[in-house]
Amino acid sequence: MIKYIIRRLVNYVIMLFVAISMTYFLASAFMDPRSNYMSRNPRPPEASIDRSLDLANINDKTPVLVRYFNWLKGIVTEWNWGLSPDQEPVAPAVASRISSSVQLVAISTVLSIIIGVSLGVYTAIRQYKWQDRALNAVSTLFLVTPAAVLGLLIVLGAIAINNATGTRIFYVTGLHSYEGGNIGLAILDFLQHIILPTIVLVCIGYVNYHLTQRTYLLDTMNADYVRTARAKGLTLNQAIRKHALRTSLIPTTTNIAFSIASIFTGAVITETVFAINGLGRYFVTTIQDNDINGAVCIAAFSGVCTLAGALLADILAAWLDPRIRLN
């Protein structure tokens, strides 16, 4: 197992380096930081613009290979991911957004997986019964409801509850507002902030796990080895629990592992509705502001998450199915 992990890690590190390098060249080709200064009124002098772009290592007058090696050298020697066009360090900005995104999505991701997989198993066992039809209808409703609409509805409901009770039970913006040293009050404040975006993300996120797990389990339930197990005297629930469930969890586990990156960067709408400065909003901002270094830094973080998920998926698949050999 250790040799397998080391071998995969080496492959993934090489893949990550190639992917990040390609992202840097693509971002340098399509983004135009100079236009940020050219659109100002009054327009700064040309020498001043070149000076600012040189400080951030994003001057289009400098050959892209020179900029790339300077950027790569800064990362390797100083862990410096460069500056934005506004001369703000990229690494601290991304790190703070990662922290906000982790706080935002960690609870909702765990709940989405547990609820989605559980409902998938529950409805597959009760295929075409009223429970299956009702839960599938609810999931379909959440599937077609835009995140912005769902978020606004939940915000309006929370405001109505606050007004009806005469106290602020829910906060509709940010992740924190308490600045004291009481741990209990700090936790309560966090829960008051996180519960609404968590509801939105869970309603959006569990649907995919529910529907896919239902499909995978239905396919597995009809497999020959499951029918053989039932022929030997096992009940349907026993055959599913001992044989079908583990196999059907393999593709679901793979989907979960490979969705790690999108979990962090895919909550743009929810972050916007609840005014949370997470990684998704920052990624959109880097594109709008022609922030080459910021966009590449986020892409690098997403690449690390994706490859970590790939390694995790391989390990979990081997654990769930003994027929899979790591060699």
Side-chain angles (χ1 to χ4, degrees), residues 34 47 57-58 67 76 100 126-127 138-139 176 182 283 294:
R34 184 176 294 275
N57 190 40
I58 51 177
R67 284 181 276 149
V76 174
S100 297
R126 293 161 178 81
Q127 186 183 19
V138 173
S139 295
H176 305 280
N182 189 306
F283 184 53

Side-chain angles (χ1 to χ4, degrees), residues 37-289:
Y37 299 92
M38 300 296 289
S39 61
R40 294 180 181 177
N41 189 13
R43 181 184 299 174
E46 189 75 16
S48 176
I49 295 175
D50 287 335
R51 174 61 177 167
S52 297
L53 294 176
D54 284 334
L55 289 174
N57 190 40
I58 51 177
N59 193 338
D60 54 332
K61 294 181 180 179
T62 303
V64 65
L65 287 177
V66 175
R67 284 181 276 149
Y68 169 74
F69 284 113
N70 289 336
W71 170 80
L72 189 61
K73 178 182 177 182
I75 295 175
V76 174
T77 60
E78 304 175 5
W79 196 245
N80 180 8
W81 287 82
L83 303 175
S84 68
D86 294 332
Q87 310 303 313
E88 294 293 331
V90 166
V94 172
S96 65
R97 266 70 173 192
I98 291 174
S99 175
S100 297
S101 292
V102 169
Q103 295 178 63
L104 174 64
V105 306
I107 299 175
S108 63
T109 300
V110 174
L111 290 177
S112 296
I113 294 171
I114 294 175
I115 294 173
V117 172
S118 299
L119 288 179
V121 174
Y122 181 81
T123 53
I125 296 175
R126 293 161 178 81
Q127 186 183 19
Y128 301 136
K129 295 183 179 180
W130 72 266
Q131 299 98 324
D132 179 34
R133 297 180 185 277
L135 291 173
N136 284 346
V138 173
S139 295
T140 303
L141 177 63
F142 285 129
L143 182 65
V144 300
T145 302
V149 174
L150 181 61
L152 290 175
L153 289 175
I154 290 177
V155 167
L156 292 176
I159 293 175
I161 293 175
N162 288 343
N163 292 335
T165 58
T167 184
R168 177 171 287 184
I169 300 176
F170 303 106
Y171 286 84
V172 297
T173 58
L175 287 174
H176 305 280
S177 60
Y178 178 73
E179 298 180 354
N182 189 306
I183 297 178
L185 292 178
I187 294 175
L188 177 61
D189 174 75
F190 174 71
L191 293 176
Q192 288 177 298
H193 284 82
I194 200 66
I195 186 169
L196 297 182
T198 296
I199 292 174
V200 175
L201 292 175
V202 169
C203 290
I204 296 172
Y206 92 89
V207 176
N208 179 59
Y209 301 124
H210 169 202
L211 298 179
T212 55
Q213 180 60 39
R214 177 182 181 274
T215 301
Y216 296 144
L217 185 54
L218 285 174
D219 290 341
T220 308
M221 286 167 57
N222 296 321
D224 292 339
Y225 64 90
V226 176
R227 290 199 296 265
T228 301
R230 294 201 63 189
K232 291 182 177 179
L234 293 182
T235 65
L236 176 61
N237 288 337
Q238 290 175 332
I240 291 174
R241 186 174 62 254
K242 293 183 178 181
H243 300 282
L245 184 58
R246 288 176 67 94
T247 304
S248 68
L249 283 174
I250 294 175
T252 301
T253 302
T254 303
N255 290 340
I256 293 172
F258 278 102
S259 66
I260 293 177
S262 62
I263 289 172
F264 287 98
T265 59
V268 180
I269 297 177
T270 304
E271 291 173 357
T272 302
V273 171
F274 294 97
I276 297 172
N277 292 320
L279 205 60
R281 288 183 68 189
Y282 183 69
F283 184 53
V284 174
T285 301
T286 59
I287 297 176
Q288 294 174 342
D289 294 344

